[in-house]
Amino acid sequence: MNWGHKITITFILFAILIITMVTIAMKQDVHLVAPDYYEEELAYQDQIDKMNNYNALMTKPIFSKQDGKIILSFPDTIEIISGEVLFFRPSHSGMDQKFTLKLDDSARQYFTQADFQKGLWKTKLSWKDQTHDYFVENTIIL
C-alpha cells in the first residue's frame, strides 16, 4: 500500500468521524432556559425595577426547609394583592413548577419537598402590593 492509499483512507475516516459527530449533535435535546427567552430579555428593565423594589424592603420574605417541607414566610408588614412562585430547575426545564401565592393566617405557604427531585432549584418569587411589583430569585438545594 503506497502513501496515496493511506491519505485516501485517512480522508474517508475523517469524513466518517465528522458525519458521526454531526449526527450525534443533531440528536441532542437543546433546552432553552425559558421557551420565551427573547421576550423575557426585552422586558428585563421591568424586572430590574422589581428587584430594586425588593431590595428596598426593610424586611423580606424568606424560604426555609423544615420537616420535609419548603416554607415561604412573609413578614407581617407586607401586603400582597397577588403573586406567584416558580420553582425553576436549571438542568431540566420540564421539571419547573409554578404556584400562585396563597398564604395562610401566619403569612406562610408550604410546599412538600417530596414533590421536587433532589438537587439544585432556583425560586423566582414575584408579587405585587398596592403600589409596587417585587421580584427576587433564590437558590435552594434539596
Side-chain angles (χ1 to χ4, degrees):
M1 185 185 309
N2 64 20
W3 62 272
H5 288 98
K6 291 178 183 177
I7 291 175
T8 304
I9 291 172
T10 303
F11 280 133
I12 291 171
L13 290 175
F14 180 73
I16 291 171
L17 174 71
I18 295 299
I19 290 169
T20 304
M21 295 301 290
V22 168
T23 304
I24 290 171
M26 291 181 71
K27 289 182 180 181
Q28 294 297 316
D29 188 19
V30 178
H31 294 295
L32 287 177
V33 173
D36 55 350
Y37 173 78
Y38 297 107
E39 290 82 11
E40 284 184 13
E41 191 67 29
L42 292 174
Y44 198 65
Q45 184 58 47
D46 291 336
Q47 197 77 347
I48 291 171
D49 295 339
K50 291 176 185 179
M51 289 188 286
N52 288 337
N53 291 340
Y54 171 81
N55 289 331
L57 291 172
M58 296 301 286
T59 54
K60 299 175 168 98
I62 58 168
F63 281 93
S64 59
K65 295 183 292 186
Q66 184 178 10
D67 299 328
K69 294 181 182 175
I70 303 167
I71 305 168
L72 171 60
S73 303
F74 273 85
D76 295 333
T77 57
I78 296 178
E79 266 187 54
I80 299 172
I81 293 176
S82 65
E84 68 181 23
V85 180
L86 172 66
F87 286 89
F88 171 76
R89 181 71 180 231
S91 63
H92 194 285
S93 63
M95 294 180 172
D96 296 355
Q97 296 185 42
K98 187 183 285 190
F99 300 94
T100 303
L101 281 182
K102 295 178 184 171
L103 303 178
D104 62 10
D105 294 337
S106 61
R108 292 182 177 180
Q109 185 164 348
Y110 299 91
F111 306 94
T112 307
Q113 237 176 330
D115 294 340
F116 303 95
Q117 278 193 356
K118 291 185 178 185
L120 178 85
W121 289 85
K122 291 191 179 274
T123 60
K124 295 183 177 185
L125 173 62
S126 60
W127 77 94
K128 62 173 63 175
D129 63 12
Q130 300 290 343
T131 57
H132 296 96
D133 291 345
Y134 301 90
F135 176 81
V136 66
E137 186 174 312
N138 295 306
T139 301
I140 296 178
I141 298 175
L142 302 178

